[in-house]
Amino acid sequence: QVQLVESGGGLVQAGGSLRLSCVASGGIVSINRMGWYRQAPGKQRELVAEVTSSGSTNYADFAKGRFTISRDNAKNTVYLQMNNLKPEDTAVYYCNGEFLIRVTRENYWGQGTQVTVSS
């Protein structure tokens, strides 16, 4: 059973920055992909950014130019650096990953970390 533990959320003023971290552990053979999603109240969960095993990245339009996803393979950790935060970035941010567990690919979610941006 893979566990994803997020940290780094909090309250920040508009224009500020936060760095989210997500550590994966538990029976992982390899990581295919890890990413961040977010869900604001009353809205659907949406992709923020993801990074593949080859290092390719994909960003939502709202994240381009402000957010940067990175990873540390040795630590099974993915980061999301968020700059120039806006009140509309307020949401619960979830870590997600696709992992090779023995011989199967499995998808897991973290518990989420709250990001609140005040105006």
Side-chain angles (χ1 to χ4, degrees):
Q1 181 78 11
V2 174
Q3 289 188 327
L4 300 178
V5 179
E6 301 120 328
S7 61
L11 173 65
V12 65
Q13 288 188 332
S17 299
L18 285 174
R19 188 192 193 207
L20 306 182
S21 300
C22 174
V23 182
S25 62
I28 299 170
V29 175
S30 64
I31 300 175
N32 296 330
R33 179 193 61 79
M34 289 187 73
W36 291 93
Y37 288 71
R38 71 183 189 183
Q39 187 167 19
K43 295 187 177 181
Q44 290 188 332
R45 191 171 298 189
E46 60 182 352
L47 173 71
V48 177
E50 60 183 354
V51 57
T52 69
S53 58
S54 64
S56 297
T57 57
N58 179 39
Y59 292 91
D61 286 343
F62 63 79
K64 292 177 181 177
R66 298 190 298 130
F67 296 178
T68 302
I69 191 168
S70 61
R71 62 180 189 173
D72 185 332
N73 291 335
K75 296 181 179 179
N76 284 351
T77 300
V78 65
Y79 305 96
L80 185 68
Q81 177 67 43
M82 304 186 293
N83 298 327
N84 190 23
L85 283 161
K86 305 175 181 180
E88 52 264 43
D89 293 318
T90 295
V92 178
Y93 284 69
Y94 295 92
C95 180
N96 174 263
E98 184 179 274
F99 306 94
L100 182 63
I101 309 297
R102 295 189 179 180
V103 294
T104 61
R105 289 185 180 182
E106 299 180 13
N107 190 280
Y108 290 89
W109 291 92
Q111 292 296 311
T113 184
Q114 177 70 46
V115 171
T116 303
V117 184
S118 64
S119 57

